[in-house]
Amino acid sequence: MRTLDDLDVTGRRVLVRVDYNVPLDGSGGVADDMRIRASVPTLRRILEREPRAVVILTSLGRPKGYDPKLVLAPVARRASELLGVPVTVLPFELDEAEGAASGAAPGSVLMLENLRFYPGETKNDPEFAQQLASFGDVYVNDAFGTAHRDHASITGVARLLPSAAGVLMQREVSVLSGLLGEPERPFVAVLGGAKVSDKIGLIQNLLPRVDSLLIGGAMANTFLLAQGHETGRSLVEPDKVGLAARLLGSSGQKLVLPVDFVVARSLDDPGSARAVRADEVPEDMAIYDVGPETTEMFADRLRAARTVVWNGPMGVFESERFSEGTFAVARALARINGFTVVGGGDSAAAVERAGLSDRMD
């Protein structure tokens, strides 16, 4: 993998693809800047080498065309604060943007407007990729969270310009290569989130490698259904029940499911919340978190682990009443005398909210 050490950026225009798909608050600011902070080492290393200009590429949200609520001005302001240099958002019209970029002072840091405003981005349109490439002489991909997408700014530009991985991309690949190679054992994975279908590839990949795989979040409901239990009004994937049953049948003792849950009539009625056994979910209630017995069971499994990968919350942690399962996993990881990896925006946000991000590797 080519890295920044293999790329000459001095005196050249450097296109840098980052992942600044961050949450915005109600006052027009960035609610969580973790992804912006993660890109700072790459941008600083490039700026130290005196490029002609740096042009940042990113998307925000999933708009269908131009949306004034998803312009990048708040993101650029926060990036500017973290970098300590001005970050200027270029005009939306690409011809105007190109003119503004060509007239920018040497060493400028520029940001093209939200890539999702342009239909050619997600279609990986060759003409749009060529337009993006015209803003740079070399290309750096530091957007690990979106690097799997076949989009113009990811794969299209990389075919047109000399390219390399940024510092964050290099570190993420190095860490994951170690996990897939010879991780220190016991190796435990914790998976949550809404859908089995979103994580099926991950589950199938991890099962042969891990010693235990702990399942939480709404995706556990589909496994619950596969075991013949009722799930009430909970979110489930009926068409994935057969798949869940096959995974249970082939995993031996590795796949660990919740034994109890926190249920409620609705998210808007936290006062109705109570813990129930996995086989006693009321038909008029829905599952919103793992229960206290499961929380303790998962903590026990994690206590002896030497390598842990966590992807996906255990419940609707944004609501205080349904946050304990997710925060308990975060606390358990923080106490581990081993190597911990947290992946996915929701899991990372939960760790941040718990004040434990500095305790994760």
Side-chain angles (χ1 to χ4, degrees):
M1 183 174 67
R2 285 170 58 86
T3 69
L4 276 177
D5 293 333
D6 304 311
L7 198 64
D8 180 13
V9 303
T10 303
R12 308 176 87 180
R13 299 170 304 157
V14 186
L15 272 183
V16 186
R17 180 56 160 99
V18 297
D19 182 8
Y20 286 175
N21 191 19
V22 297
L24 303 177
D25 59 31
S27 59
V30 172
D32 181 356
D33 66 1
M34 181 186 67
R35 292 185 177 190
I36 304 176
R37 284 186 280 116
S39 72
V40 167
T42 291
L43 295 171
R44 283 188 175 150
R45 186 173 295 186
I46 293 170
L47 289 170
E48 287 168 0
R49 299 180 184 181
E50 299 182 347
R52 178 179 157 195
V54 173
V55 181
I56 297 171
L57 304 177
T58 188
S59 60
L60 179 63
R62 295 193 175 187
K64 305 295 184 185
Y66 184 86
D67 183 344
K69 296 191 293 294
L70 289 172
V71 296
L72 292 178
V75 178
R77 281 196 299 272
R78 186 60 187 138
S80 178
E81 291 166 357
L82 292 167
L83 275 173
V85 298
V87 177
T88 303
V89 181
L90 294 168
F92 168 60
E93 295 295 336
L94 287 177
D95 289 343
E96 291 182 47
E98 207 163 355
S102 62
S108 296
V109 180
L110 311 170
M111 184 181 289
L112 195 67
E113 192 49 273
N114 191 343
L115 290 169
R116 287 290 182 102
F117 290 172
Y118 306 95
E121 164 66 356
T122 56
K123 295 176 183 176
N124 195 5
D125 178 72
E127 186 176 338
F128 182 63
Q130 189 69 59
Q131 288 177 304
L132 293 179
S134 71
F135 285 86
D137 303 306
V138 295
Y139 170 77
V140 175
N141 189 344
D142 210 33
F144 179 79
T146 55
H148 60 292
R149 300 192 186 281
D150 188 22
H151 290 178
S153 66
I154 299 290
T155 56
V157 175
R159 296 190 185 101
L160 300 171
L161 296 176
S163 57
V167 176
L168 174 64
M169 176 74 79
Q170 186 180 356
R171 181 170 184 271
E172 296 276 14
V173 170
S174 174
V175 167
L176 291 181
S177 297
L179 293 177
L180 297 176
E182 294 295 330
E184 195 170 352
R185 296 187 180 275
F187 179 14
V188 179
V190 185
L191 297 185
K195 296 181 178 180
V196 176
S197 54
D198 288 344
K199 301 284 171 73
I200 182 59
L202 191 55
I203 294 171
Q204 291 172 323
N205 239 322
L206 284 174
L207 269 174
R209 305 172 189 273
V210 299
D211 298 294
S212 296
L213 199 161
L214 316 183
I215 299 285
M219 64 186 291
N221 305 341
T222 302
F223 286 94
L224 198 65
L225 210 56
Q227 291 179 315
H229 299 315
E230 295 299 323
T231 56
R233 295 164 53 207
S234 309
L235 175 66
V236 294
E237 292 181 279
D239 60 323
K240 300 299 179 186
V241 170
L243 174 60
R246 290 193 294 275
L247 287 169
L248 285 168
S250 64
S251 66
Q253 301 301 310
K254 284 186 178 183
L255 208 155
V256 182
L257 297 177
V259 295
D260 64 340
F261 296 96
V262 176
V263 299
R265 291 191 187 92
S266 74
L267 281 175
D268 297 326
D269 186 11
S272 67
R274 59 188 173 93
V276 299
R277 300 288 302 171
D279 57 355
E280 297 176 349
V281 177
E283 63 179 16
D284 64 337
M285 290 193 166
I287 295 168
Y288 293 117
D289 195 11
V290 295
E293 288 187 45
T294 301
T295 297
E296 185 57 38
M297 178 179 70
F298 282 8
D300 284 341
R301 292 272 183 156
L302 291 167
R303 200 164 285 129
R306 297 291 299 171
T307 305
V308 179
V309 176
W310 177 24
N311 182 287
M314 298 294 98
V316 187
F317 74 95
E318 296 88 351
S319 172
E320 184 178 355
R321 183 62 183 88
F322 308 115
S323 64
E324 178 54 28
T326 300
F327 289 159
V329 169
R331 292 193 297 269
L333 262 67
R335 291 192 293 265
I336 289 170
N337 184 24
F339 191 74
T340 53
V341 178
V342 180
D346 287 336
S347 304
V351 168
E352 287 273 329
R353 189 176 295 190
L356 296 170
S357 58
D358 61 339
R359 303 280 297 278
M360 308 295 163
D361 295 299

